[in-house]
Amino acid sequence: MRCAYHPDKEASAECARCKKPLCEECSRSRGDKGIVLCGSCLLSEAATYVAQAIDERNEEREARKEAREVRGKRKPYARVFVIMAFAVAVLLVNLYFHLAPGEHVEQFDPYQDPYLTAVLIESALLDYANSHKGEFPMSLNAILDGGYLSSDRITEGVLQGYAYTRSSPHSYELRIKESPSGIVSDTVFTEEEMNR
């Protein structure tokens, strides 16, 4: 039998793919298991292999691109979630320390801390004036009866420990009559001081 590409030469093998007879010069061994192919079949197989490799590489690129897009879309939501979780944690910690009873939390006693009580009364007087065209009340009982004092611990008895004088509709003086130690305080709260 003669070679399909060199008719003047004797065929020594056959192409495993197209079955054409091949001489020693035309037969190409593919390498794996000694399979013999002609030049055109070898090129065709190589082209198929390269095309498959390119397709696989393109598929991998697309998969990585889609994964990046998914991660990119999730990132803003992840950031928002982390920020919200942090804010909730801070809020819960604050609530615990402000609302949880315990030995480390002292309860406010208006008789033991007259200066802080005076500051609360001062704030209530200013709230009263803001809702009454800038005029202060005739007596401290007006802020208690009107609900301007937010603390339920400040009662009428507590207010008796303070000297309140309304100098004019738009000014007043507030003094602590007596502290727990029995010493009269020199601290005076006035409307003018608070507006400085």
Side-chain angles (χ1 to χ4, degrees):
M1 190 184 314
R2 295 291 193 189
C3 176
Y5 298 100
H6 300 103
D8 57 327
K9 294 185 178 178
E10 192 69 31
S12 60
E14 184 179 82
C15 178
R17 210 164 162 196
C18 67
K19 307 295 184 201
K20 288 182 185 174
L22 303 170
C23 65
E24 283 188 34
E25 190 181 328
C26 292
S27 61
R28 308 275 190 261
S29 178
R30 193 170 64 184
D32 54 341
K33 301 178 186 175
I35 297 173
V36 175
L37 296 173
C38 67
S40 61
C41 287
L42 188 62
L43 285 174
S44 175
E45 193 171 273
T48 303
Y49 175 77
V50 169
Q52 286 174 346
I54 290 172
D55 287 344
E56 288 174 7
R57 193 172 69 202
N58 288 339
E59 287 173 9
E60 287 175 10
R61 281 184 185 166
E62 286 298 316
R64 283 195 304 264
K65 182 179 175 184
E66 287 176 12
R68 277 194 307 268
E69 288 174 359
V70 168
R71 281 194 309 262
K73 289 178 183 175
R74 287 183 184 165
K75 279 184 181 176
Y77 298 116
R79 288 184 195 134
V80 169
F81 177 75
V82 168
I83 291 169
M84 288 177 61
F86 180 74
V88 168
V90 168
L91 179 67
L92 290 176
V93 168
N94 282 331
L95 284 174
Y96 172 77
F97 283 112
H98 284 83
L99 299 179
E103 293 178 12
H104 64 282
V105 179
E106 290 185 27
Q107 296 294 326
F108 169 66
D109 182 357
Y111 292 104
Q112 294 301 316
D113 197 346
Y115 185 79
L116 178 59
T117 305
V119 170
L120 293 173
I121 294 170
E122 173 73 23
S123 176
L125 288 168
L126 292 173
D127 288 344
Y128 180 95
N130 284 336
S131 63
H132 288 85
K133 299 179 185 175
E135 294 187 9
F136 291 100
M138 296 299 291
S139 71
L140 290 181
N141 288 338
I143 60 171
L144 192 61
D145 297 338
Y148 292 98
L149 279 171
S150 58
S151 175
D152 59 345
R153 296 182 179 273
I154 300 176
T155 62
E156 195 172 323
V158 172
L159 293 179
Q160 290 176 1
Y162 297 85
Y164 172 74
T165 307
R166 179 180 159 179
S167 309
S168 73
H170 301 287
S171 65
Y172 69 90
E173 274 188 15
L174 177 68
R175 288 182 184 266
I176 301 170
K177 286 183 183 175
E178 194 174 305
S179 68
S181 61
I183 300 170
V184 176
S185 171
D186 290 336
T187 306
V188 177
F189 294 86
T190 66
E191 191 272 332
E192 290 80 14
E193 278 183 26
M194 298 308 289
N195 285 336
R196 270 191 251 165

